[in-house]
Amino acid sequence: MRVVSLVPSLTEAVARTVPGALVGATDWCAHPADLDVVRVGGTKNPKTDRILSLAPDLVIANEEENRAPDLHALRAGGVEVLVTEVRTVPQAVTELDRTLTACGAPARPRWLDEAEAAWADPPVPGRRATAVVPIWRRPWMVLGRDTFAGDVLARLGVDHLYAAHAERYPRIPLDELRAARPDVVVLPDEPYRFTADDGPEAFPGLPCALVDGRYLTWYGPSLAEAPRALAAALRAAHR
């Protein structure tokens, strides 16, 4: 089985579960750190000719991260493309199982069982909190409706304030974000790399939780550690 992955989360999952199956991955596929495969460009601008030259049996993609025209071009070149849809934690488990089976995994990996168990009983505080969750600045963009990261936070007792917005990643003026007065501002380090010196200063007087974006937005082996790691970051924001 020769697999090209256009999704960093899936790259990590396949590399860990089916060693040797991956022959190509995007420039953004940073895990595992020692992954040695052909790089095929970005998630939004993959080099389809390079992918086709690798003669993959399967390309794995995601309906949000990858563009339909690129996937159509790969199919037109005679390549099978598996497209995942992941907007909730249970969906992530189901789609990971489906993808790994398609990539030749002989059995469901232990890490996926551990991830499912971790999310069956996540650490939830006694009182639910409200949040805004910026994912970009200049302009400010936040989590909106129907997102995987929003579902992750909801399962940890955090309700983000734009969950009912018409857009999935709306642009919201900073003044409006401040005026919403959430219990916490959740600042991940991807896609925009928020840090202690770049992000919290925009929300004076509001607790800010700096979180690892891999735990918030990735679905793969990190899912097993995500509930504990995110809960700890959220608690630290109120100290």
Side-chain angles (χ1 to χ4, degrees):
M1 174 67 71
R2 294 172 61 82
V3 179
V4 172
S5 173
L6 301 182
V7 186
S9 297
L10 298 179
T11 298
E12 182 180 18
V14 174
R16 178 161 170 177
T17 308
V18 195
L22 285 170
V23 295
T26 75
D27 299 342
W28 299 104
C29 293
H31 294 274
D34 61 351
L35 183 66
D36 183 18
V37 297
V38 174
R39 299 296 173 160
V40 298
T43 57
K44 303 296 186 188
N45 57 346
K47 297 178 173 62
T48 55
D49 55 343
R50 182 176 297 175
I51 295 171
L52 293 172
S53 74
L54 293 172
D57 299 299
L58 182 68
V59 172
I60 51 178
N62 175 263
E63 52 89 27
E64 179 178 39
E65 291 204 47
N66 308 119
R67 301 184 318 124
D70 296 319
L71 306 184
H72 291 329
L74 292 171
R75 290 190 177 105
V79 174
E80 181 181 355
V81 180
L82 184 155
V83 182
T84 58
E85 179 179 319
V86 178
R87 301 191 183 186
T88 68
V89 172
Q91 248 188 330
V93 173
T94 299
E95 290 286 65
L96 282 163
D97 202 2
R98 179 171 77 100
T99 300
L100 294 171
T101 298
C103 291
R108 178 166 153 145
R110 176 178 293 181
W111 65 258
L112 187 53
D113 290 334
E114 292 171 349
E116 189 168 31
W119 282 103
D121 186 26
V124 180
R127 184 180 72 87
R128 298 192 70 84
T130 60
V132 294
V133 189
I135 59 165
W136 202 258
R137 66 184 302 175
R138 308 182 192 95
W140 287 92
M141 299 174 67
V142 300
L143 290 187
R145 65 168 179 83
D146 198 21
T147 66
F148 174 71
D151 186 65
V152 163
L153 290 172
R155 292 171 188 274
L156 295 173
V158 178
D159 301 310
H160 71 92
L161 295 177
Y162 293 91
H165 197 281
E167 299 177 26
R168 297 186 69 200
Y169 302 101
R171 297 184 181 190
I172 307 294
L174 180 57
D175 287 348
E176 181 178 328
L177 297 179
R178 291 169 174 164
R181 302 301 300 173
D183 295 320
V184 64
V185 179
V186 179
L187 298 170
D189 63 5
E190 61 176 68
Y192 185 90
R193 187 173 180 80
F194 289 106
T195 67
D197 300 318
D198 185 357
E201 82 291 342
F203 300 94
L206 293 176
C208 290
L210 292 164
V211 303
D212 187 329
R214 183 162 163 260
Y215 291 132
L216 183 62
T217 63
W218 285 44
Y219 37 90
S222 59
L223 270 176
E225 307 161 20
R228 175 192 54 78
L230 290 171
L234 291 165
R235 286 194 303 270
H238 292 280
R239 291 175 186 163

